[in-house]
Amino acid sequence: MSDGLGGSGDRARDGAFRGSLEQYRTVMNAIDDGIYRLDADGRIVAVNDAVLEQTGYDRRDLLGEHFSVLVGEDDVARLERELDDRLETGVDPDATFDLAIEAADGDRVPCEVRFSVLEADGEFDGVVAVVRAVDEESERDRLDSIWETYESISSVIDEADVGVFVLDESSDVVWADETVETYFGVDRRDVIGRDKRAVVEETIRDRLADPEGFAETVLATDDDAPVEQFEFRVADGPDREARWLEHRSKPIESGRYAGGRVELYYDVTDRKRSEQAHQESEQRFRSLVDAVDEYAIFRLDADGRVVSWNEGAKRIKGYESSAIVGEHFSTFYTDGDRADGVPERNLERARTEGTAEDEGWRVRADGSRFWANVTITAIREDGELQGYAKVTRDMTERREREQQLQRERDLTERILETSPVGIAVVDPDGVTSRANERMTALLGVSPDESSGYATSQRDMYDAEGRPLPVEERPAARVFETGEPVYDREIRLDRADGSRRWLSINAAPIGADGKPVEQVVVTATEITDLKELAKRRKQELEDRESELAAVRLATNLLETGDRPVDELLAEFVSELPRAFRYADRVATQVSVGDHEAVTDGRGSFERRITTRTSTASGTPIRIDVGFVEPPPEDEPEPFIDEERDLIDTLATLMKFHFERREYIDELQAETRRLEQFAYAASHDLQEPLRMVSSYLQLVDRRYADALDDDGREFLGFALEGAERMREMIDGLLAYARVKTRGDPLERVDLEAVFEDVCSDLEMRIAATNADVSAEPLPAVAGDESQLRQVFQNLLENAIEYSDDTPRIRVSAERRESEWIVSVSDDGIGIESEERDQIFEMFQRLHSREDHDGAGIGLALCERIVERYGGEIWVDSAPGEGSTFSFTLPAVDASPEG
């Protein structure tokens, strides 16, 4: 407006006015009253032509000057106070001020001033002032003229997105802008001149989402009330759009409509939608956070005090929200960590780096400790720190598993490095990723080179000495076929010119059905054995003595329960074949009291004798000699390899008989324990019957003579004797599972289930239990014992139900066995108690709550284990239990 109203193009931009610059300039210069545009610092940035006529100044003399060049100090202070009040309240009332303008020639021109506040992007951007000189006209004409002047800029106000109502002192609507028509869907001509209450009740209220609330609020405003502000929503309609409006109202303190009010309506729909979306997002987030109970998720303020608390935090840390909100988060740290300043360092690291992660011991509300993984994240808004989000996970079980795995890895590492066998892990590209020291020694590489060693770097040969292609080598074959390779003999030619023979085993590493991820290769040096075989082949090409000895040793290791005499007889008959002069050699072997001698040899000259004994002291002796002298030209009748062979066979025999003795001892101990349990439970029955009989006799004859305490004590004794009888009967049944069980035969589980239901008919009827079963198969077992299993499980299902018991029995085939399941909807079992319930005399509840001796499930387990099966339970508190056990199918029964 450099030529009309003055000021630069940048200053001409005003967010509240959307008319074009030229239209604005034309309107302003056509108005007879002076119009000033002041910036935020009070400097004149634009004036219309009327100002120049009023003051006698040239436009260039005013632009850029502070408005105080035109008014006195008192008027400046008065205008600044009114401006501060409007900025604070956000309301521009329809008010005028009387003051004097100092013209260029020094005269003071009496004027009336009316001004409005301007904003840009929510910030104060200056004012627009309308100034009219006052002459001798009547007060009415003067006010009308000023209003007409103000009317001349109403078109500009109509361009702003602000609805305006002006009320006189009688609350009649004297003016409204076009935006009001848009917002409320009304015609200004139907509103102006009517009472505000009538406009609200008859025209506006039915257009609102909450008509009662709006009417009550807007009509309750007192004429003398200070600034009024509230929000409401306009409903959608044919003549209007749904939108949120903010209502502002302030009394008019001076001027023509002093005593009235000006009401402004701002469209805040976008802000309300944003707020609502934010609230919904925050609510969804809070719901999500509260639903996650695996993690403790909570917020801290900027000082580290707890301001929110989810269910996961309650479960992990043990604090109720009311007990922890407001407390400092260092409460969760150990005394040592607090003394070392760990909480403060973690918070500072999150503040400076944005996030901080830590693992360590934390303390629950009950004082117990748990290993936690903690992440603290700083929350900022517009760069200012608002607080922190803290996520904690209980990692105690994982840490224990990691420590156990580490111990196992350490043990494995020690085993690998001390193993006399070479061990390596090979990747699909044929490169070794891990090798122990023995393997590096066998390959002839340094430990540093082993991790990058590839089998293709070294020439290999098969047992016949032919070059072995890379794709035919053990690891490559395993990667190709997925099947292990055993006892593959290969020859390595080392850099120093030496040759080594290795026996290679290779096995895949990876999940079943998936490609092989790695291959583990073991290597045992057999160079000496190969050289020995070579020498033997050269010396004794027509004999297979070493092969016979190896087969004999293998038979010894793999022998099951063959009688000792039979084993020794075979041994002495085969052993001579391992010597050069087999037809002249005789052998004698003794193990404890058992002894065998080569048939028809009688006495012979013992030339090789080896002795050893088992761990339990059983002596073992092998004697080898000649019944006929060896050839006279033989300087050494027995070579070193033959002597070593005898020592090796003696050691193998020692291992074999030690294993047999250990197994025999375990079996004997098991039989003794079973006999003891049976004898103890059987022998206790007679004295218990006597005690019980005498107690019952006392009860019948002398109960009336006893006082209340005596009868109570007698009742305790009778009850205890009955419980002891149940325990002895259960123990006796437990001991008889294997010793007194019938041979396994085909058993129809359908019939067994029906018999058990018939036996429990009274119990089922008394509890109104719903017991049903799917078709059940035939299995291999002992019918009486299987009846006991079903009876114990059904009785438990009935006993441990809160309401009407619902029990379902089903069966599922799995390869050579059946999985039978008994499900109920009872009280359930804690996870840590699932294994405990199968132990003898273990009870999870008092006898006042549930009867029983604590033997039933242990008896079920022993019966199932007799058939080579297993029993387990799937359960959760309040969700019932499913007991499952396996039984052999009739076509795959084990030995009874």
Side-chain angles (χ1 to χ4, degrees):
M1 302 174 78
S2 57
D3 60 343
L5 295 177
S8 64
D10 288 338
R11 292 179 177 175
R13 286 197 298 268
D14 188 334
F17 300 92
R18 302 194 179 173
S20 70
L21 184 61
E22 290 301 321
Q23 292 174 337
Y24 185 85
R25 181 182 294 117
T26 301
V27 172
M28 294 302 101
N29 286 327
I31 296 174
D32 294 331
D33 294 320
I35 298 179
Y36 295 77
R37 167 75 162 88
L38 308 181
D39 65 13
D41 296 325
R43 298 187 182 279
I44 301 171
V45 296
V47 294
N48 69 345
D49 294 341
V51 170
L52 306 180
E53 294 174 2
Q54 289 175 351
T55 63
Y57 281 98
D58 185 82
R59 178 175 279 110
R60 289 173 296 181
D61 296 331
L62 294 177
L63 295 181
E65 297 293 331
H66 195 272
F67 77 94
S68 59
V69 301
L70 298 175
V71 296
E73 294 181 358
D74 292 339
D75 288 336
V76 170
R78 186 155 59 92
L79 289 172
E80 287 180 344
R81 286 195 302 273
E82 179 62 17
L83 177 61
D84 291 340
D85 181 62
R86 296 188 185 187
L87 291 176
E88 180 179 352
T89 62
V91 177
D92 283 344
D94 184 17
T96 60
F97 301 87
D98 296 329
L99 50 77
I101 297 293
E102 294 182 3
D105 58 5
D107 291 341
R108 295 173 61 84
V109 180
C111 296
E112 285 185 342
V113 178
R114 188 190 303 266
F115 71 90
S116 298
V117 175
L118 300 177
E119 292 183 354
D121 297 329
E123 299 292 334
F124 172 62
D125 196 41
V127 298
V128 172
V130 180
V131 180
R132 188 182 191 288
V134 178
D135 53 17
E136 300 299 327
E137 292 177 274
S138 66
E139 182 69 15
R140 180 70 178 179
D141 292 338
R142 183 177 65 83
L143 291 176
D144 287 342
S145 176
I146 292 175
W147 181 250
E148 289 169 1
T149 300
Y150 195 71
E151 285 283 354
S152 66
I153 65 171
S154 66
S155 61
V156 178
I157 296 176
D158 284 336
E159 292 297 324
D161 292 331
V162 180
V164 181
F165 279 117
V166 177
L167 310 178
D168 62 14
E169 61 183 355
S170 301
S171 295
D172 290 338
V173 179
V174 297
W175 188 76
D177 68 351
E178 290 182 357
T179 306
V180 165
E181 294 180 311
T182 302
Y183 285 173
F184 292 99
V186 299
D187 190 330
R188 283 187 293 177
R189 293 171 296 181
D190 297 336
V191 173
I192 295 175
R194 296 171 60 191
D195 178 67
K196 169 188 172 182
R197 180 178 295 275
V199 171
V200 171
E201 293 288 352
E202 299 172 6
T203 304
I204 293 179
R205 65 176 289 161
D206 292 338
R207 302 166 185 262
L208 307 179
D210 181 17
E212 297 297 334
F214 173 82
E216 181 180 354
T217 303
V218 75
L219 296 179
T221 304
D222 187 82
D223 290 340
D224 296 327
V227 175
E228 172 194 351
Q229 183 174 343
F230 64 89
E231 295 176 352
F232 62 95
R233 188 164 66 89
V234 177
D236 188 22
D239 51 2
R240 63 193 179 277
E241 296 180 2
R243 71 182 76 227
W244 277 92
L245 298 178
E246 181 182 291
H247 167 93
R248 297 183 185 177
S249 173
K250 184 180 179 182
I252 301 174
E253 298 178 351
S254 60
R256 177 178 180 181
Y257 298 109
R261 296 184 76 86
V262 59
E263 295 183 348
L264 305 177
Y265 295 89
Y266 298 88
D267 188 345
V268 294
T269 303
D270 291 341
R271 175 168 62 81
K272 291 294 289 185
R273 288 173 178 169
S274 177
E275 290 175 354
Q276 183 176 2
H278 176 74
Q279 291 173 354
E280 292 174 353
S281 176
E282 183 176 1
Q283 182 61 39
R284 287 194 298 270
F285 175 74
R286 288 179 178 174
S287 299
L288 176 62
V289 168
D290 285 337
V292 176
D293 62 358
E294 293 296 323
Y295 295 85
I297 304 176
F298 55 97
R299 288 186 57 198
L300 309 175
D301 63 17
D303 296 326
R305 299 191 178 277
V306 179
V307 297
S308 72
W309 197 247
N310 79 327
E311 286 297 316
K314 175 183 174 182
R315 184 185 66 82
I316 292 174
K317 296 179 180 290
Y319 289 95
E320 294 289 343
S321 176
S322 59
I324 196 61
V325 170
E327 297 296 326
H328 197 269
F329 85 113
S330 60
T331 302
F332 310 130
Y333 287 75
T334 63
D335 293 339
D337 283 350
R338 286 199 297 270
D340 292 340
V342 174
E344 292 75 14
R345 286 201 300 273
N346 287 344
L347 216 59
E348 176 63 19
R349 186 150 56 93
R351 186 185 67 80
T352 57
E353 300 177 11
T355 185
E357 187 170 353
D358 180 37
E359 281 200 8
W361 290 111
R362 296 296 185 268
V363 182
R364 297 188 180 93
D366 61 3
S368 61
R369 300 198 310 172
F370 66 99
W371 188 262
N373 174 271
V374 179
T375 301
I376 304 176
T377 304
I379 301 174
R380 297 183 181 275
E381 186 174 324
D382 297 330
E384 294 294 326
L385 181 67
Q386 305 298 312
Y388 304 89
K390 193 166 184 286
V391 180
T392 301
R393 186 179 182 185
D394 186 349
M395 307 296 287
T396 306
E397 291 185 2
R398 190 198 72 177
R399 183 171 185 267
E400 291 175 351
R401 289 196 301 269
E402 289 177 348
Q403 290 179 330
Q404 178 63 28
L405 288 174
Q406 185 60 48
R407 288 192 293 269
E408 292 176 359
R409 283 195 292 267
D410 293 342
L411 177 60
T412 302
E413 186 72 18
R414 290 194 295 271
I415 293 173
L416 284 175
E417 293 307 327
T418 58
S419 172
V421 176
I423 302 173
V425 178
V426 181
D427 293 332
D429 58 2
V431 176
T432 300
S433 63
R434 174 77 171 86
N436 69 347
E437 292 184 5
R438 178 57 178 163
M439 181 63 87
T440 62
L442 293 174
L443 296 175
V445 299
S446 67
D448 295 336
E449 297 172 337
S450 64
S451 60
Y453 175 83
T455 57
S456 59
Q457 296 177 215
R458 184 69 53 82
D459 291 336
M460 295 184 182
Y461 303 88
D462 62 16
E464 284 71 35
R466 294 187 296 267
L468 193 63
V470 173
E471 62 273 12
E472 293 297 326
R473 297 176 185 182
R477 294 297 300 161
V478 174
F479 277 117
E480 181 181 352
T481 65
E483 298 296 328
V485 173
Y486 296 112
D487 301 327
R488 182 70 181 273
E489 291 185 3
I490 64 171
R491 192 191 81 203
L492 289 179
D493 292 346
R494 300 180 55 171
D496 58 6
S498 62
R499 291 182 174 182
R500 289 201 173 183
W501 284 94
L502 304 178
S503 176
I504 302 294
N505 292 328
I509 301 176
D512 292 341
K514 295 184 178 180
V516 178
E517 299 174 359
Q518 290 180 313
V519 171
V520 60
V521 178
T522 64
T524 303
E525 185 173 8
I526 58 172
T527 305
D528 293 341
L529 292 177
K530 293 291 288 186
E531 292 178 352
L532 174 62
K534 182 178 180 181
R535 291 197 305 269
R536 289 292 180 85
K537 183 177 182 180
Q538 292 174 349
E539 296 173 359
L540 308 168
E541 292 182 349
D542 59 338
R543 303 183 63 246
E544 297 180 351
S545 58
E546 282 76 14
L547 288 177
V550 171
R551 292 192 189 96
L552 179 60
T554 302
N555 290 336
L556 283 173
L557 288 174
E558 296 180 352
T559 299
D561 295 329
R562 295 174 62 189
V564 177
D565 292 337
E566 178 184 332
L567 183 63
L568 296 184
E570 181 180 349
F571 188 89
V572 298
S573 66
E574 295 290 337
L575 185 56
R577 299 180 186 178
F579 296 89
R580 291 177 295 170
Y581 307 111
D583 55 344
R584 303 183 184 188
V585 172
T587 60
Q588 179 175 340
V589 180
S590 62
V591 177
D593 297 333
H594 302 276
E595 184 177 284
V597 181
T598 306
D599 291 342
R601 295 299 185 178
S603 61
F604 59 88
E605 181 183 359
R606 291 168 175 80
R607 297 292 186 92
I608 305 176
T609 297
T610 184
R611 295 181 178 86
T612 185
S613 61
T614 65
S616 61
T618 301
I620 297 174
R621 174 171 173 161
I622 301 177
D623 291 306
V624 180
F626 290 107
V627 292
E628 295 181 13
E632 294 180 359
D633 58 349
E634 179 62 64
E636 179 59 51
F638 290 105
I639 62 177
D640 292 339
E641 287 79 2
E642 291 173 334
R643 298 179 186 274
D644 293 340
L645 177 61
I646 298 303
D647 291 337
T648 300
L649 294 178
T651 301
L652 293 175
M653 292 185 69
K654 171 186 175 181
F655 291 159
H656 170 72
F657 285 105
E658 279 184 343
R659 183 180 65 179
R660 289 193 57 169
E661 289 173 349
Y662 179 68
I663 294 173
D664 291 343
E665 183 178 350
L666 286 179
Q667 292 175 343
E669 182 65 21
T670 301
R671 287 192 296 271
R672 286 194 296 271
L673 289 175
E674 291 177 347
Q675 290 170 358
F676 171 77
Y678 175 76
S681 56
H682 184 273
D683 294 344
L684 285 174
Q685 284 185 324
E686 183 58 32
L688 180 62
R689 278 195 294 269
M690 183 179 67
V691 171
S692 179
S693 298
Y694 278 110
L695 287 173
Q696 293 173 3
L697 186 60
V698 170
D699 183 36
R700 289 195 300 270
R701 293 187 178 183
Y702 305 108
D704 294 338
L706 299 175
D707 58 10
D708 292 340
D709 287 344
R711 285 190 293 272
E712 183 179 12
F713 297 157
L714 182 59
F716 288 158
L718 286 168
E719 183 180 351
E722 179 61 22
R723 285 202 303 271
M724 179 63 77
R725 184 191 63 77
E726 293 177 359
M727 293 175 68
I728 290 174
D729 289 344
L731 184 60
L732 188 59
Y734 188 86
R736 286 175 170 174
V737 167
K738 291 186 177 180
T739 60
R740 298 298 181 91
D742 294 333
L744 302 190
E745 55 186 9
R746 186 180 188 281
V747 177
D748 185 355
L749 291 185
E750 287 273 10
V752 171
F753 173 74
E754 292 175 0
D755 289 346
V756 172
C757 289
S758 178
D759 292 342
L760 298 176
E761 182 178 2
M762 298 296 292
R763 182 80 180 275
I764 293 173
T767 58
N768 198 25
D770 179 8
V771 182
S772 62
E774 298 177 2
L776 298 178
V779 298
D782 180 336
E783 182 175 348
S784 63
Q785 291 181 346
L786 292 179
R787 183 180 291 109
Q788 183 69 57
V789 171
F790 271 104
Q791 181 164 336
N792 289 348
L793 293 179
L794 291 178
E795 285 182 336
N796 278 0
I798 295 173
E799 176 67 27
Y800 294 100
S801 293
D802 284 336
D803 301 317
T804 302
R806 290 172 52 85
I807 305 167
R808 297 292 180 269
V809 180
S810 61
E812 177 185 0
R813 180 69 181 256
R814 183 179 66 183
E815 296 180 354
S816 62
E817 62 185 9
W818 285 95
I819 301 176
V820 183
S821 299
V822 179
S823 303
D824 62 63
D825 58 356
I827 61 177
I829 304 169
E830 297 285 353
S831 59
E832 61 270 15
E833 297 172 341
R834 293 175 189 170
D835 293 333
Q836 178 183 346
I837 62 175
F838 291 104
E839 298 178 9
M840 287 284 289
F841 305 123
Q842 291 295 319
R843 298 175 50 84
L844 304 183
H845 307 276
S846 66
R847 289 185 172 83
E848 287 75 12
D849 295 333
H850 297 284
D851 197 10
I855 298 176
L857 291 177
L859 182 60
C860 291
E861 182 179 50
R862 186 166 175 81
I863 292 172
V864 170
E865 287 179 347
R866 180 195 172 196
Y867 311 143
E870 58 179 336
I871 186 170
W872 67 94
V873 62
D874 296 312
S875 181
E879 299 181 7
S881 304
T882 297
F883 284 86
S884 301
F885 55 93
T886 61
L887 296 173
V890 290
D891 55 349
S893 60
E895 295 297 328

